[in-house]
Amino acid sequence: PAPPLVDPSSYPRQDVCLRVAAQYLGLSTRAVRARMDDGRLRGIRDGKVYRIPVTALVRYQMAVRLR
């Protein structure tokens, strides 16, 4: 299992799974998938596995704050 994402700058991995991304952003996994599908959040889907770069989470969070 992936560790929870608390501080992006010290996270041991470059990518996170869908569940960890959802917890970090305070969204449901369905909402994270929707944001990936419409291009607001960068990530890849490999079969049933979603991988979201930690940098993409930080960029998304900054963009949401600026609105």
Side-chain angles (χ1 to χ4, degrees), residues 6-31:
V6 178
D7 179 16
S9 64
S10 64
Y11 196 69
R13 300 178 184 176
Q14 291 181 342
D15 299 328
V16 295
C17 66
L18 186 63
R19 181 184 51 81
V20 172
Q23 288 174 343
Y24 178 71
L25 296 173
L27 301 170
S28 68
T29 55
R30 178 178 277 176

Side-chain angles (χ1 to χ4, degrees), residues 34-55:
R35 282 157 178 78
M36 288 175 62
D37 289 343
D38 68 16
R40 288 185 280 170
L41 179 61
R42 189 170 57 92
I44 61 166
R45 179 179 177 198
D46 184 19
K48 293 183 178 181
V49 178
Y50 289 85
R51 306 301 307 164
I52 300 107
V54 173
T55 55

